[in-house]
Amino acid sequence: MQHLPEPPPSPATVIRSGPLNWVQQWHWFERTIPSPRRVNPTPLADHCHVPPPATVADVHAALASLTVRHEALRSTVDPLRPVQHVHRADWAPLPVDHVDVPAADAATLEAATAALAACPIDPERNPPWLARVLLEAGKPRAVLMAAHHVLIDGWGLAVLINQLHDHLRGHDAPVGAPLHPLDTVAAQLPERARVAEREWLTRLAGNPTGVLAPFGGSEDGEGRHRLQHRSAAAYDDLERVARRYRASPEAVVLAALAHDVATRTGEHRFLASVVVSNRARAALRNSVGVQALTVPVQIDLRPGAAFGEVVASVAAASAAAYRHGQWRPAELVAAQARMDRRRGVVTVPTIEYNCYSWPRDYLVPTQHTRPDGPSTWISSAPDEPCETLYVDLGRDGGVVTLDVTVGDHLLDAGQALALPVRLCGFLRTLADGAECPVPAGPLTPAAAGWWRAPQGWVCLTTVEEVLRGHPGVLDVTVAPSGDAVVENEDVAEAGDGPYLVAHVRTAPGVTPDDLHRHVLDHLGEVPGIVAPGRYVLSPAGHAPGRPSVQSSTATDNTGPRQLPSRPPASGAERALAAAVAAVAPGGPPAGSMAGPDAADMNRCLADHGVTLLAVPRLLALLDQSGFTGIAPDELAGTASLGHLAAALEPSPPRADRGGETSP
C-alpha cells in the first residue's frame, strides 16, 4: 500500500472484531489497485425521495436509527489485515450533509447521486457510508446515500434506502436483528470449508474452458462498449418463463446468456463469474453487510437439451459454486491466477454476470428512442478492451434493465447493441411456449485472426507482437500446427491435439528458451499455445521461404517442460526475492528479511504460495528496501518475479523530518 499504516481504532469504541468474509477480502484488496484498473470501479450510490411532511430532523433521526440497527454502518476495516471492527452506535457523528438545489427533479437527482458517489470514503477510520440531503426552498426533498463496497454490498444499499424511506413514512423496521458478516463467518465449519475449497480448485483445474468466440469486432480491438437496454415487455416475459421453469428470474437470464454463447460459438462448457447471494433467511434479507459471493460457475450444456434443462443446470451450478466458494478466498484467487491468461489468450470467465444493475451515471450516453418503446443507450470509449462479456440485470419498476460492457475485439458496437435485444426476443419466444433446444454447433463463423485452442481462443497477431518485443527478434509468423511448415520432425509432432508454431527470424544468440520465458512473462503458459519446443528459428539473413531450423529447437514434446529455477541477480531482484520469502507461508518472522536467494525468479507469486492478503506487507517490505513501481494488481497476476523486478525503480527520497523515518 502507498500510505503509512494507521493506528487501529481506539479499543474504547470497538465492541467486537473478526475476519472479513470472502467477498469483503476481495474488495479490501481491491482498494490498493489504482482506480482506473479496478474490476469494480463503479461506486455504490442511490437515493430516495423524502415523503412530506418529514423534516431534516426526521431524516437525521432515521439515519441514527439505522446506524443503531445495522452494525455494518459502524464498522471499519484494518488497513493491513483482513479484519473488521464493529464500533459503538455513538462512535462517530453521522456522515451527512445538506445541499440546496433549485429543484429536485430527475436530472438533478442523477447528477447529485453521481457527485456523492465520487466523494472518497475512508473505511479504515470513518463510517463506510455517506448521506446527503437535498433541500429545495429549505425543505428536504431527497436523501442520497453512498457506501463502500468492502462493508456494504449492492443489496445492502437497497435495503438501507428502503428502510430509510419506510422510517420517514412512519413504518416499523422489520422484526429481528439483521446479521453482520462476522456472524456468518463465525458460523462456518473450517475443515468442511477447506475440503469444499479443494474440491472447487480441482473442478476449476480440470475444466477445459471454452469462451465467447470473438465473432466480429474491429481488427485493432480498441475500445469498449457500454450500453443499457430497458424493456417493459421483457419484464412480463421473464416472469412467465421463471414461473414455467420454477426458477428465479436471475437464473433464467443467466441460462439465456449461456444458451446464446452456445448458439453463437458452439461451446457447451465454460465458466461464468456470477454474483450469488444466499439471502433466504429474513435476517440476511434485511442485512446491509456484504453477503453476496462472486464465484466462478461452471456451466455444462447438453447439445439438444431443451431450455428447461439449461435453467436447471445453471441453477444447480450456481448453488454448487456458492457452497464451494466460502472459505480462504485469497488462496483460491492465487490459485486461479495461475490459470488466468489475460493477454492474447481469452480464457476464464466467459461471462461476468451481476444480478444487481449497477448505476450508470458515470457514462455520457447518446440516447436512441426506438419505435416500440424501450430505450437504448450506447457509448464507445477508447478504453482497454474487455476480455469478458459483462452483463448486469436489474428488475425495478416493472422494467427489465440489461447493462452490457464488452470489448470491441469480442463484439463490435452493432453486435453489442444487438445482444440485449436478442436476449429479450429470446425471452418472448420462451414465454410463448417454445423449447429452444441447445444447438450442437456454432451458427456464426469466427472472426479472422483468431484460432480455437483446446483451452480458449488465441489472437494470433497478439502472440506475434509479444514475440516481436523480445530483443533480437527480427520477424515472426505464428500459425496453427495444421498450417505450419516445419522441417524438424521433433517440433512437428504434437501428440496432444492442436497447437501453434512460431517461425522466428532472430539475431545470433536468441534461443527457444529465451522466447518461451518471454511468452510466459507476457501471456502465461497455456498448453498448446506456443509451448516449449515449438519455436522454429531462422538465423538473420536467411533467405525468405521455408525456414531452416536451428539444432537447439529439437526438443522433446511429450509434455510441458518445466523452466529451470533462476536465483535473483540484480539488486531489485534480490529485494523482491527477500520480500517474497518473508511473506510466503513458513517464512521468517515479521520484521526480519530473508536471504537474497530465497525465491525462484522464473516463477510467479502464486507459485511461491503468496496470497492477496500478503500483498500490502510485501509492498511495505519493498518500500523498506528502497524500491517501488509495482501496482498491487500486477502482484496478483501470472508474471514471473523476474518480470516484476524489471519494473521496480528506486523510491523517491523522503524529506528529512528529524528522528526516525517510517516506511
Side-chain angles (χ1 to χ4, degrees):
M1 303 180 82
Q2 303 301 317
H3 58 76
L4 300 180
E6 296 290 337
S10 169
T13 67
V14 175
I15 58 177
R16 62 176 182 145
S17 301
L20 302 173
N21 66 18
W22 155 282
V23 73
Q24 284 181 304
Q25 288 189 22
W26 169 246
H27 290 305
W28 173 82
F29 165 76
E30 195 177 37
R31 295 180 307 117
T32 68
I33 299 175
S35 179
R37 301 169 66 178
R38 292 177 189 165
V39 176
N40 296 317
T42 309
L44 296 173
D46 208 340
H47 61 263
C48 71
H49 292 277
V50 176
T55 65
V56 172
D58 294 329
V59 173
H60 282 239
L63 292 173
S65 176
L66 290 173
T67 302
V68 172
R69 175 173 173 76
H70 296 286
E71 287 184 318
L73 297 182
R74 41 192 168 94
S75 295
T76 57
V77 296
D78 191 281
L80 296 178
R81 297 180 302 150
V83 172
Q84 54 191 321
H85 309 281
V86 178
H87 300 260
R88 295 196 314 256
D90 60 352
W91 155 64
L94 292 175
V96 57
D97 60 14
H98 313 88
V99 173
D100 291 306
V101 295
D105 53 20
T108 300
L109 285 174
E110 180 178 333
T113 303
L116 183 65
C119 295
I121 299 176
D122 184 356
E124 297 171 8
R125 292 176 291 272
N126 301 321
W129 59 282
L130 299 173
R132 176 164 294 166
V133 182
L134 297 187
L135 302 175
E136 180 184 329
K139 295 183 178 181
R141 297 301 186 191
V143 180
L144 321 176
M145 294 194 73
H148 200 287
H149 213 327
V150 77
L151 289 163
I152 300 169
D153 62 15
W155 181 294
L157 183 60
V159 168
L160 277 179
I161 292 293
N162 290 336
Q163 291 188 3
L164 173 63
H165 192 259
D166 289 343
H167 196 290
L168 293 175
R169 294 171 60 195
H171 294 177
D172 295 332
V175 178
L179 289 177
H180 188 273
L182 282 179
D183 304 319
T184 55
V185 170
Q188 294 177 2
L189 297 175
E191 185 53 37
R192 181 178 178 184
R194 281 190 284 269
V195 171
E197 177 204 3
R198 288 193 294 271
E199 178 184 341
W200 185 242
L201 286 174
T202 300
R203 292 177 62 188
L204 276 178
N207 181 26
T209 306
V211 301
L212 182 66
F215 299 152
S218 64
E219 293 182 357
D220 56 8
E222 294 295 330
R224 76 170 61 181
H225 306 292
R226 305 184 179 105
L227 62 96
Q228 184 182 85
H229 181 75
R230 296 165 58 83
S231 173
Y235 187 94
D236 295 330
D237 293 335
L238 181 55
E239 289 291 328
R240 291 168 59 192
V241 175
R243 287 195 300 269
R244 176 183 176 187
Y245 296 116
R246 298 181 179 180
S248 69
E250 291 77 12
V252 168
V253 172
L254 178 56
L257 280 168
H259 190 283
D260 192 76
V261 170
T263 300
R264 291 178 55 78
T265 70
E267 303 289 352
H268 298 102
R269 193 181 196 205
F270 49 88
L271 293 181
S273 179
V274 181
V275 176
V276 180
S277 181
N278 181 11
R279 294 183 185 258
R281 290 180 290 163
L284 284 173
R285 284 200 302 271
N286 296 319
S287 168
V288 306
V290 182
Q291 303 293 345
L293 305 181
T294 302
V295 294
V297 174
Q298 180 173 293
I299 296 177
D300 290 276
L301 305 180
R302 182 179 63 83
F307 188 72
E309 182 180 326
V310 175
V311 173
S313 173
V314 166
S318 298
Y322 182 89
R323 288 195 299 271
H324 295 310
Q326 297 186 69
W327 194 254
R328 300 175 67 182
E331 284 83 350
L332 181 60
V333 173
Q336 281 184 260
R338 290 193 290 268
M339 297 178 280
D340 185 17
R341 318 303 179 199
R342 286 296 187 184
R343 297 174 184 151
V345 182
V346 185
T347 58
V348 286
T350 300
I351 300 170
E352 296 272 359
Y353 179 64
N354 194 349
C355 301
Y356 182 87
S357 187
W358 290 344
R360 294 290 178 171
D361 298 334
Y362 63 93
L363 297 179
V364 183
T366 302
Q367 183 172 340
H368 303 276
T369 303
R370 307 172 76 83
D372 55 355
S375 298
T376 301
W377 296 265
I378 184 167
S379 173
S380 296
D383 201 352
E384 292 184 3
C386 295
E387 283 124 355
T388 300
L389 169 66
Y390 294 82
V391 178
D392 300 335
L393 166 68
R395 297 168 60 245
D396 299 317
V399 175
V400 164
T401 302
L402 289 171
D403 292 319
V404 177
T405 306
V406 63
D408 206 16
H409 67 317
L410 293 181
L411 299 175
D412 62 25
Q415 293 163 336
L417 187 62
L419 174 62
V421 177
R422 186 168 64 248
L423 289 177
C424 290
F426 185 60
L427 291 175
R428 167 54 55 88
T429 302
L430 291 168
D432 289 339
E435 293 295 331
C436 299
V438 176
L443 304 183
T444 311
W450 289 81
W451 176 72
R452 178 67 173 92
Q455 295 77 22
W457 289 85
V458 184
C459 180
L460 301 182
T461 56
T462 301
V463 178
E464 292 175 354
E465 289 172 4
V466 167
L467 286 168
R468 284 194 186 92
H470 187 280
V473 171
L474 307 178
D475 193 19
V476 179
T477 300
V478 177
S481 54
D483 302 331
V485 179
V486 185
E487 292 182 348
N488 187 292
E489 293 182 358
D490 291 333
V491 176
E493 288 183 5
D496 55 354
Y499 62 94
L500 292 182
V501 173
H503 300 271
V504 189
R505 193 162 64 92
T506 66
V510 179
T511 69
D513 283 346
D514 296 334
L515 297 180
H516 188 57
R517 280 194 293 269
H518 185 70
V519 169
L520 288 179
D521 284 344
H522 292 80
L523 292 178
E525 183 176 19
V526 179
I529 300 175
V530 195
R534 291 170 186 159
Y535 300 82
V536 182
L537 305 188
S538 298
H542 186 269
R546 291 171 58 88
S548 64
V549 182
Q550 293 182 349
S551 60
S552 59
T553 64
T555 57
D556 181 14
N557 287 291
T558 58
R561 182 179 59 181
Q562 296 294 322
L563 283 176
S565 62
R566 181 174 74 81
S570 64
E573 289 189 349
R574 283 191 290 270
L576 180 58
V580 168
V583 301
S592 63
M593 296 292 284
D597 299 325
D600 179 2
M601 304 310 291
N602 283 339
R603 302 287 181 258
C604 69
L605 277 176
D607 291 332
H608 290 84
V610 177
T611 67
L612 296 181
L613 306 186
V615 166
R617 184 175 170 227
L618 187 147
L619 292 175
L621 292 173
L622 282 175
D623 187 71
Q624 290 179 20
S625 300
F627 288 97
T628 186
I630 299 180
D633 55 334
E634 294 176 286
L635 297 176
T638 58
S640 68
L641 296 187
H643 181 71
L644 293 172
L648 287 173
E649 55 191 32
S651 300
R654 297 187 179 91
D656 185 7
R657 300 181 181 179
E660 263 185 80
T661 53
S662 300

